[in-house]
Short mmCIF file of all heavy atoms in Angstrom, two decimals:
data_model
loop_
_atom_site.label_atom_id
_atom_site.label_comp_id
_atom_site.label_asym_id
_atom_site.label_seq_id
_atom_site.Cartn_x
_atom_site.Cartn_y
_atom_site.Cartn_z
N TYR S 302 168.45 174.65 89.57
CA TYR S 302 168.97 175.83 90.22
C TYR S 302 170.37 176.32 89.61
O TYR S 302 171.06 177.04 90.34
CB TYR S 302 169.22 175.42 91.78
CG TYR S 302 167.99 175.50 92.53
CD1 TYR S 302 167.21 174.32 92.75
CD2 TYR S 302 167.51 176.54 93.02
CE1 TYR S 302 165.99 174.30 93.37
CE2 TYR S 302 166.37 176.67 93.74
CZ TYR S 302 165.55 175.55 93.88
OH TYR S 302 164.39 175.62 94.61
N ILE S 303 170.68 175.94 88.42
CA ILE S 303 171.77 176.50 87.75
C ILE S 303 171.41 177.94 87.26
O ILE S 303 170.30 178.14 86.65
CB ILE S 303 172.16 175.73 86.49
CG1 ILE S 303 172.65 174.29 86.87
CG2 ILE S 303 173.22 176.37 85.65
CD1 ILE S 303 172.97 173.40 85.76
N MET S 304 172.24 178.91 87.61
CA MET S 304 171.93 180.21 87.27
C MET S 304 172.72 180.83 86.00
O MET S 304 172.42 181.83 85.35
CB MET S 304 172.32 181.16 88.41
CG MET S 304 171.53 180.82 89.71
SD MET S 304 171.98 182.02 91.00
CE MET S 304 173.61 181.74 91.35
N GLY S 305 173.79 179.99 85.64
CA GLY S 305 174.62 180.48 84.43
C GLY S 305 175.81 179.61 84.52
O GLY S 305 175.91 178.62 85.34
N ASN S 306 176.82 179.95 83.58
CA ASN S 306 178.19 179.24 83.64
C ASN S 306 179.31 180.34 83.57
O ASN S 306 179.05 181.40 82.94
CB ASN S 306 178.21 178.33 82.47
CG ASN S 306 179.41 177.50 82.44
OD1 ASN S 306 180.45 177.85 82.13
ND2 ASN S 306 179.23 176.24 82.78
N VAL S 307 180.37 180.06 84.20
CA VAL S 307 181.46 181.03 84.24
C VAL S 307 181.99 181.36 82.85
O VAL S 307 182.43 182.54 82.73
CB VAL S 307 182.60 180.58 85.22
CG1 VAL S 307 182.15 180.39 86.58
CG2 VAL S 307 183.13 179.19 84.68
N SER S 308 181.84 180.38 81.95
CA SER S 308 182.47 180.78 80.68
C SER S 308 181.66 181.73 79.93
O SER S 308 182.14 182.43 79.09
CB SER S 308 182.47 179.41 79.79
OG SER S 308 181.13 178.92 79.57
N ASP S 309 180.39 182.12 80.37
CA ASP S 309 179.64 183.02 79.76
C ASP S 309 179.83 184.48 80.40
O ASP S 309 179.21 185.50 79.89
CB ASP S 309 178.12 182.69 79.81
CG ASP S 309 177.85 181.30 78.98
OD1 ASP S 309 178.38 181.22 77.95
OD2 ASP S 309 177.02 180.65 79.44
N ARG S 310 180.50 184.57 81.48
CA ARG S 310 180.77 185.76 82.19
C ARG S 310 179.55 186.44 82.59
O ARG S 310 179.38 187.71 82.32
CB ARG S 310 181.71 186.72 81.37
CG ARG S 310 182.94 186.18 80.70
CD ARG S 310 184.06 185.88 81.71
NE ARG S 310 185.22 185.57 80.97
CZ ARG S 310 185.63 184.34 80.49
NH1 ARG S 310 184.88 183.34 80.62
NH2 ARG S 310 186.72 184.14 79.86
N PRO S 311 178.55 185.83 83.39
CA PRO S 311 177.35 186.54 83.52
C PRO S 311 177.52 187.64 84.59
O PRO S 311 178.29 187.52 85.50
CB PRO S 311 176.45 185.40 84.10
CG PRO S 311 177.41 184.48 84.71
CD PRO S 311 178.64 184.48 83.82
N SER S 312 176.78 188.69 84.43
CA SER S 312 176.74 189.87 85.24
C SER S 312 175.83 189.50 86.42
O SER S 312 175.08 188.55 86.27
CB SER S 312 176.33 191.09 84.63
OG SER S 312 175.04 191.02 84.19
N MET S 313 175.77 190.27 87.49
CA MET S 313 174.82 190.12 88.50
C MET S 313 173.40 190.21 88.03
O MET S 313 172.47 189.62 88.36
CB MET S 313 175.11 191.19 89.69
CG MET S 313 174.25 190.90 90.92
SD MET S 313 174.82 189.26 91.70
CE MET S 313 173.14 188.41 91.96
N GLU S 314 173.16 191.24 87.04
CA GLU S 314 171.99 191.39 86.43
C GLU S 314 171.54 190.15 85.63
O GLU S 314 170.34 189.73 85.70
CB GLU S 314 171.95 192.63 85.43
CG GLU S 314 172.12 193.95 86.15
CD GLU S 314 173.52 194.22 86.78
OE1 GLU S 314 174.41 193.55 86.20
OE2 GLU S 314 173.61 195.08 87.51
N ASP S 315 172.49 189.44 84.97
CA ASP S 315 172.15 188.27 84.31
C ASP S 315 171.65 187.22 85.32
O ASP S 315 170.68 186.47 85.06
CB ASP S 315 173.31 187.79 83.50
CG ASP S 315 173.72 188.70 82.46
OD1 ASP S 315 172.78 189.29 81.76
OD2 ASP S 315 174.98 188.75 82.09
N LEU S 316 172.44 187.01 86.40
CA LEU S 316 172.00 186.02 87.33
C LEU S 316 170.72 186.26 87.96
O LEU S 316 169.96 185.39 88.31
CB LEU S 316 173.11 185.89 88.41
CG LEU S 316 174.46 185.45 88.00
CD1 LEU S 316 175.48 185.42 89.13
CD2 LEU S 316 174.50 184.19 87.23
N ASN S 317 170.45 187.60 88.24
CA ASN S 317 169.14 187.98 88.83
C ASN S 317 167.99 187.56 87.90
O ASN S 317 166.85 187.40 88.39
CB ASN S 317 169.07 189.46 89.04
CG ASN S 317 169.84 189.82 90.35
OD1 ASN S 317 170.04 189.09 91.27
ND2 ASN S 317 170.30 191.11 90.38
N GLU S 318 168.22 187.49 86.62
CA GLU S 318 167.14 187.14 85.59
C GLU S 318 167.03 185.58 85.58
O GLU S 318 166.06 185.17 84.92
CB GLU S 318 167.44 187.65 84.26
CG GLU S 318 167.30 189.24 84.18
CD GLU S 318 165.94 189.69 84.56
OE1 GLU S 318 164.96 189.09 84.04
OE2 GLU S 318 165.78 190.59 85.45
N SER S 319 167.80 184.79 86.17
CA SER S 319 167.62 183.41 85.95
C SER S 319 166.50 183.01 86.87
O SER S 319 166.20 183.49 87.87
CB SER S 319 168.97 182.68 86.61
OG SER S 319 169.19 182.87 87.97
#
Side-chain angles (χ1 to χ4, degrees):
Y302 282 96
I303 295 176
M304 301 185 295
N306 190 281
V307 294
S308 62
D309 298 321
R310 314 285 193 274
S312 65
M313 191 64 230
E314 290 73 20
D315 294 329
L316 298 183
N317 281 335
E318 290 301 312
S319 68

